[in-house]
Amino acid sequence: MNLEAIAPILEDIIRQNLYKKQYPFGFKNNKGVGNKVASGTLARSIQIAEVKKSNGEQSLLIMMEDYGRYVQGGRKKGKYAPIKPLLQWIKDRNLKGRDKKTGRYITDLSFAFGISRNIKNFGIRPADFVYLSIEDIIKNPKITELLEGGAMSDLIKAIEGKI
């Protein structure tokens, strides 16, 4: 299996999945779907490297910004999220918070503290964008062409083994 030739295609597919509006957000009266891209930093940081083990097995290592693990796997409730990245996220998404009682706009800092408190209370739902990419990987004709006979299951195992 030629993983070096497949890696750039996989990177593109995973990046494209971050841009798709397929990730649910909200609760009860305010539900929707959105993408996982605010500034594009996470998408640009995705890199895939081939890892050869001493026993001859090949696997893939998916590398990305540190916070990508929280986007991929979510975050358990119980701890406050850091404020600085939340402020940047608010700016990148051009969001404005409102006071619950008066409806007036609040400062970005107050908004970030509120988001951090919600993360502490409820956590963050996992996006599983790598797993959602697997269907697109299976359907990709370039990858099928590069795989020599029926090695698709080996490729999927290589991806799943290094998340």
Side-chain angles (χ1 to χ4, degrees):
M1 182 168 29
N2 187 359
L3 292 180
E4 283 184 35
I6 294 171
I9 301 168
L10 296 176
E11 290 171 359
D12 287 341
I13 291 171
I14 293 170
R15 285 184 191 121
Q16 289 169 7
N17 263 286
L18 284 169
Y19 284 92
K20 285 183 181 178
K21 289 193 174 193
Q22 63 183 354
Y23 305 99
F25 64 82
F27 300 97
K28 295 183 183 176
N29 298 333
N30 190 16
K31 290 183 179 180
V33 290
N35 63 29
K36 289 294 177 183
V37 178
S39 66
T41 302
L42 178 60
R44 286 189 301 273
S45 74
I46 292 174
Q47 295 180 341
I48 297 179
E50 178 183 7
V51 177
K52 293 182 181 179
K53 297 179 182 177
S54 59
N55 62 2
E57 287 184 22
Q58 295 175 306
S59 63
L60 296 172
L61 177 63
I62 301 172
M63 299 173 290
M64 64 186 91
E65 288 285 333
D66 287 339
Y67 71 89
R69 66 181 172 169
Y70 296 116
V71 177
Q72 170 65 22
R75 184 179 173 122
K76 291 181 180 180
K77 63 182 181 178
K79 290 186 178 181
Y80 287 100
I83 298 299
K84 189 176 179 181
L86 288 175
L87 283 169
Q88 186 62 47
W89 181 78
I90 289 167
K91 181 181 175 187
D92 291 341
R93 287 275 183 164
N94 197 25
L95 300 173
K96 298 292 179 198
R98 289 184 178 258
D99 184 276
K100 190 174 182 179
K101 294 178 183 174
T102 64
R104 293 182 183 170
Y105 288 110
I106 59 175
T107 66
D108 287 350
L109 186 60
S110 294
F111 192 28
F113 275 107
I115 293 170
S116 182
R117 184 175 50 246
N118 270 5
I119 291 171
K120 178 187 180 287
N121 293 336
F122 303 107
I124 298 175
R125 183 181 304 166
D128 290 331
F129 62 90
V130 175
Y131 294 118
L132 291 173
S133 302
I134 289 177
E135 185 175 328
D136 294 336
I137 291 167
I138 291 170
K139 293 178 182 177
N140 189 292
K142 291 179 185 175
I143 292 176
T144 307
E145 184 180 311
L146 288 169
L147 291 173
E148 300 90 30
M152 184 64 77
S153 62
D154 293 337
L155 175 62
I156 299 305
K157 286 177 187 174
I159 294 168
E160 290 176 340
K162 287 295 175 185
I163 295 176

